C-alpha cells in the first residue's frame, strides 16, 4: 500500500516506497516560510533563515542519496531586495557561513555547486564565497546543487531576449532560426545541459504561487505545494513529494502509456 501525499500532513511516514527508476532528475524548490517559522516561535525572522540553512544541508544530502541529478534551490529573488536592510544583509552573509562549513561535505558526497542569477550585484564577500565553492567542487561529478541567487525569471528572460537580439543584429542568426532551443540556450538554466527544465517543482509554506521562478522552464514540471515551512522540511517530506510526483501521469500534451 502506498500512502498518497497529503499537503496538509507533514509526511511522517518514513517508510514511503519510491520507484528508484523514476526519481525526478531535476528537482527545484522554492524554499519558503522561514520568517513565519521564526515568528511562530517568537524568534526574529533571521532565526528562520539560519534554521533554513540547516535544512538546505540535510536536503542536499538526501536528494543526492536518492539519485537526483540537479537540485535547484531558490535562495534569493531579484525582488527580495525590497526587504529590510538587516534581513537582506543577513541573507547575503548566509552563503558565506553555509559554504564555510559545508564544502567538505559537498565534496564527500561528490556534489558540484553551480549558481544562477545576477551574482555581480551581490556583496563582494558573498560573490567570493560562491566563487570559491564552485571552484572547490568543480571536480565533483555527482549531483549538481544549483543555487538561484539574485535570480528572477522575468529578468532572466529579458537578458536572454537581449542576447538573441544581439545575435540577430550581428548577423549570426536570422529571425526564422529562432526556436525553442534558441530560447533554452539563452537562459541561465542552459548551464544545466540536458537537465535545464525541472521535472518536479516544490514550494513549501502553503503559498501556491511561482514568485518569478523559472517561468519558461516549468512549462511541463509537476508542481507540489506543501504546507510544511522550509525549516521543518525533512528528507521524509522530500520523499513524500517525490512519491506524489511518481503518482502523476505526465502526458506532455499527448496520451498516457496506459490509454
Ligand atoms: C524564504 O522564507 C526565504 C527567502 C525568501 C529568502 P521567507 O523569508 O520568505 O519566509 P516567509 O514567507 O516570510 O514566512
Ligand atoms: C520566493 O519567496 C523567493 C525565495 C524563496 C527565494 P518570497 O517569500 O520572496 O515570495 P512572495 O513574496 O511570497 O511571493
Ligand atoms: Mg516568503
Amino acid at each position: 500500500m502506498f500512502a498518497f501525499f497529503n499537503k496538509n500532513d507533514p509526511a511522517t511516514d518514513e517508510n514511503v516506497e519510491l520507484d528508484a527508476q523514476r526519481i525526478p532528475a531535476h528537482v527545484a524548490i522554492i524554499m519558503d516560510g522561514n520568517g513565519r517559522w521564526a515568528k511562530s516561535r517568537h524568534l526574529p525572522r533571521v532565526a528562520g533563515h539560519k534554521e533554513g540553512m540547516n535544512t538546505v544541508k540535510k536536503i542536499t544530502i538526501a536528494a543526492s542519496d536518492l539519485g537526483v541529478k540537479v537540485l535547484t534551490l531558490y535562495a534569493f529573488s531579484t525582488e527580495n531586495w525590497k526587504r529590510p536592510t538587516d534581513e537582506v544583509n543577513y541573507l547575503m552573509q548566509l552563503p558565506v557561513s553555509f559554504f564555510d562549513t559545508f564544502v567538505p561535505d559537498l565534496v564527500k558526497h561528490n556534489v558540484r555547486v553551480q549558481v544562477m542569477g545576477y551574482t555581480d550585484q551581490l556583496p563582494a564577500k558573498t560573490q567570493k564565497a560562491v566563487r570559491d565553492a564552485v571552484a572547490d567542487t568543480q571536480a565533483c561529478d555527482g549531483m549538481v546543487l544549483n543555487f538561484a541567487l539574485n535570480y528572477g525569471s522575468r529578468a532572466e528572460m529579458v537578458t536572454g531576449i537581449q542576447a538573441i537580439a544581439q545575435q540577430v543584429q550581428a548577423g549570426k542568426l536570422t529571425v526564422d532560426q529562432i526556436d525553442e532551443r534558441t530560447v533554452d540556450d539563452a537562459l541561465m538554466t542552459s548551464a544545466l545541459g540536458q537537465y535545464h527544465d525541472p521535472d518536479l517543482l516544490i514550494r513549501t509554506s502553503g503559498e501556491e504561487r511561482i514568485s518569478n521562478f523559472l517561468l519558461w522552464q516549468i512549462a511541463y514540471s509537476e508542481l507540489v505545494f506543501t504546507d510544511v515551512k522550509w525549516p521543518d522540511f525533512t528528507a521524509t517530506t522530500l520523499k513524500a513529494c517525490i512519491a506524489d510526483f511518481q503518482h502523476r501521469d505526465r502526458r506532455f500534451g499527448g496520451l498516457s502509456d496506459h490509454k
Side-chain angles (χ1 to χ4, degrees):
M1 265 296 280
F2 42 69
F4 279 101
F5 182 63
N6 174 354
K7 76 188 182 98
N8 297 310
D9 175 5
T12 47
D13 180 7
E14 282 172 29
N15 302 315
V16 60
E17 293 277 343
L18 293 181
D19 177 350
Q21 304 306 311
R22 292 183 53 225
I23 299 295
H26 182 176
V27 176
I29 307 183
I30 303 174
M31 309 182 287
D32 198 15
N34 292 352
R36 279 164 284 162
W37 180 92
K39 201 177 163 204
S40 71
R41 283 163 179 72
H42 309 285
L43 295 169
R45 288 180 55 82
V46 294
H49 297 316
K50 189 175 179 196
E51 195 54 35
M53 182 181 80
N54 292 327
T55 304
V56 171
K57 292 181 180 178
K58 285 183 252 174
I59 296 308
T60 298
I61 305 302
S64 163
D65 287 349
L66 286 169
V68 169
K69 306 286 187 202
V70 176
L71 177 66
T72 295
L73 299 177
Y74 201 8
F76 192 88
S77 78
T78 45
E79 287 71 41
N80 287 145
W81 297 105
K82 294 175 188 166
R83 297 187 179 200
T85 314
D86 282 356
E87 182 171 345
V88 168
N89 288 346
Y90 191 89
L91 289 167
M92 288 301 142
Q93 177 272 328
L94 265 190
V96 181
S97 344
F98 176 80
F99 290 124
D100 249 9
T101 52
F102 200 49
V103 163
D105 281 336
L106 291 173
V107 171
K108 202 171 86 193
H109 286 87
N110 201 22
V111 172
R112 184 155 55 87
V113 175
Q114 281 188 201
V115 178
M116 62 174 192
Y118 297 88
T119 49
D120 53 328
Q121 295 165 8
L122 301 173
K125 61 176 178 16
T126 314
Q127 288 190 43
K128 184 179 180 329
V130 165
R131 231 182 4 251
D132 289 351
V134 169
D136 292 347
T137 60
Q138 204 164 26
C140 299
D141 60 2
M143 189 182 81
V144 169
L145 173 60
N146 180 40
F147 280 102
L149 203 52
N150 196 21
Y151 171 85
S153 189
R154 287 185 168 183
E156 174 194 39
M157 286 191 201
V158 170
T159 303
I161 291 164
Q162 287 172 339
I164 293 169
Q166 262 159 6
Q167 288 182 55
V168 172
Q169 201 173 38
K172 291 181 187 150
L173 189 70
T174 67
V175 169
D176 289 349
Q177 284 169 334
I178 298 172
D179 58 13
E180 293 190 7
R181 176 74 197 266
T182 318
V183 178
D184 284 338
D185 291 349
L187 298 176
M188 293 169 178
T189 38
S190 65
L192 301 170
Q194 63 171 309
Y195 303 121
H196 50 83
D197 294 342
D199 299 288
L200 168 62
L201 172 69
I202 300 167
R203 183 169 187 150
T204 60
S205 89
E207 304 298 350
E208 299 189 353
R209 58 176 170 263
I210 302 301
S211 301
N212 204 14
F213 195 44
L214 303 173
L215 300 176
W216 166 274
Q217 297 90 334
I218 60 168
Y220 273 105
S221 303
E222 294 299 326
L223 312 182
V224 171
F225 298 99
T226 167
D227 287 349
V228 176
K229 295 179 185 72
W230 179 248
D232 288 330
F233 195 88
T234 64
T236 305
T237 333
L238 176 66
K239 281 175 77 180
C241 292
I242 293 177
D244 189 5
F245 169 88
Q246 293 189 339
H247 293 126
R248 306 278 181 95
D249 185 13
R250 298 186 83 189
R251 291 189 288 275
F252 299 97
L255 299 178
S256 55
D257 293 340
H258 39 86
K259 309 173 249 297

